[in-house]
Amino acid sequence: MQQEYVLPPEPVSNEAIAKRLTDAARAEIHSGRLQKKNFVWLELTGCSGNIISMMNGTNPDLEYAITSMVNLVYSNSLMAAEGEKAIEKLMEALQGEFILAVEGAVALRNNGLYHVIGNWQGQPLTALQAAKMLGERASHVIAVGACATHGGPSAAKPNPAQCVGLQSVLDRKVIQLPGCPCHPDWFLGTLAHLLMYGEPEMDNLNRPLMFYSTSLHDRCPRKHFFDKGIFAKTLGEPTCLFKLGCRGPVTRIDCPTRLWNGYVSWPIEASTCIGCSQFGFPDQMAPFVVYDITRE
Ligand code: SF4
């Protein structure tokens, strides 16, 4: 007899935590009770997907964030300066206090020469040198996205550039925001918390608990299908995707209540969860889709 199922409820957005924090930080700065801090966004070995994700932010939008919450002194994607003029801004940042956000992995091969981010005084400046130089002096360091937190796709087999996560080259605490990409709320909420209260409460892997405390599976609207053993046979079906390879049960993140792209959808609604915000992604999460659903 064919099993009956009901459609899962519409996902509900949970933008509240990040919005409360960013609204409060902006209000404090606007009133003069809180000083803006210098801010550096360093792009290392990756696809620039995190800065693109930030441009999708609405709590507030990125332009508002980098003008009203912080003084953006360096971002190779967003700044007008090019070449040594841009690197000059990076060097100037070292003279004062600043918060550092890093996206992308650190390429170690050939002493870092597999990734040169620019030239300074006639010499190549490697991503490895920049990560160490800025990471050692910043007041806070945030690794944004999977490549920065643990190597991510940049460190996937065979990893020709010998990429590693930022923490591997820094002997200090790095706040970890894994995700491929990182959600704008995870980053902006963390940044606002740093400005207002200092470091947020974190787990043993330095992930902020306000975003990374529960498994995606536990809050998935399809979990009642999982509990009843009703599994999809192809992507696109509205039941549980576990037998197709869904990585929700091993992924700690708030996607089901956070939602993406202006809070309209999320990976399970679009296709499936590939565990992109879990350490070990992508190698430890592959294969992303399992077609042998005859297996019990
Ligand atoms: S296995 Fe995936 S689709 Fe099924 S309930 Fe868990 S997170 Fe949702």
Side-chain angles (χ1 to χ4, degrees):
M1 194 172 85
Q2 193 164 8
Q3 287 174 306
E4 287 189 0
Y5 58 74
V6 291
L7 288 172
E10 287 291 313
V12 178
S13 167
N14 176 23
E15 55 186 281
I17 294 175
K19 183 164 172 53
R20 275 204 304 273
L21 283 165
T22 51
D23 282 352
R26 285 183 294 146
E28 288 295 292
I29 288 166
H30 188 68
S31 70
R33 289 189 292 271
L34 191 66
Q35 293 299 307
K36 277 200 228 177
K37 291 198 171 154
N38 285 345
F39 175 68
V40 173
W41 181 284
L42 191 60
E43 285 183 49
L44 304 183
T45 311
C47 67
S48 304
N50 292 284
I51 195 74
I52 293 169
S53 178
M54 294 309 131
M55 291 176 193
N56 221 3
T58 53
N59 270 333
D61 65 64
L62 184 64
E63 182 186 348
Y64 201 78
I66 60 180
T67 54
S68 64
M69 282 172 60
V70 290
N71 296 316
L72 180 70
V73 293
Y74 180 88
S75 159
N76 71 289
S77 287
L78 303 180
M79 66 198 302
E82 297 178 0
E84 287 219 13
K85 285 284 178 204
I87 301 297
E88 203 174 299
K89 295 283 177 197
L90 198 58
M91 297 302 172
E92 282 171 19
L94 291 169
Q95 307 309 316
E97 191 181 333
F98 66 98
I99 295 173
L100 175 67
V102 175
E103 81 166 285
V106 187
L108 298 181
R109 190 158 182 188
N110 283 14
N111 205 22
L113 279 172
Y114 269 55
H115 189 171
V116 172
I117 66 166
N119 286 317
W120 178 241
Q121 297 176 338
Q123 297 294 318
L125 177 66
T126 67
L128 173 61
Q129 286 172 316
K132 286 187 170 180
M133 181 174 67
L134 288 138
E136 283 163 7
R137 296 190 203 172
S139 62
H140 301 281
V141 181
I142 313 171
V144 186
C147 291
T149 57
H150 59 276
S154 296
K157 291 174 190 147
N159 193 5
Q162 294 172 0
C163 283
V164 296
L166 184 63
Q167 185 71 81
S168 300
V169 301
L170 288 180
D171 187 18
R172 62 167 298 167
K173 182 185 279 186
V174 174
I175 299 172
Q176 306 275 29
L177 303 180
C180 193
C182 178
H183 193 292
D185 283 2
W186 306 338
F187 170 71
L188 289 172
T190 302
L191 179 64
H193 200 289
L194 283 177
L195 296 172
M196 295 275 293
Y197 313 113
E199 285 180 359
E201 197 177 350
M202 291 181 269
D203 65 10
N204 63 333
L205 298 173
N206 293 337
R207 295 174 293 187
L209 288 173
M210 57 187 168
F211 304 121
Y212 294 86
S213 62
T214 55
S215 83
L216 185 150
H217 175 74
D218 285 344
R219 289 196 279 187
C220 179
R222 303 188 186 198
K223 187 160 180 299
H224 62 288
F225 292 126
F226 177 91
D227 294 340
K228 291 176 191 155
I230 303 173
F231 298 106
K233 293 183 174 55
T234 59
L235 292 178
E237 288 180 24
T239 53
C240 175
L241 300 160
F242 180 70
K243 289 197 175 183
L244 295 174
C246 178
R247 297 292 181 267
V250 294
T251 304
R252 294 176 75 82
I253 196 55
D254 64 2
C255 287
T257 52
R258 174 74 43 201
L259 306 184
W260 287 77
N261 298 331
Y263 311 106
V264 298
S265 188
W266 66 297
I268 299 271
E269 284 297 300
S271 57
T272 188
C273 169
I274 58 173
C276 79
S277 57
Q278 195 63 22
F279 288 97
F281 171 84
D283 285 357
Q284 290 176 30
M285 296 295 161
F288 295 133
V289 178
V290 178
Y291 290 104
D292 180 12
I293 63 162
T294 56
R295 178 169 71 98
E296 287 300 325

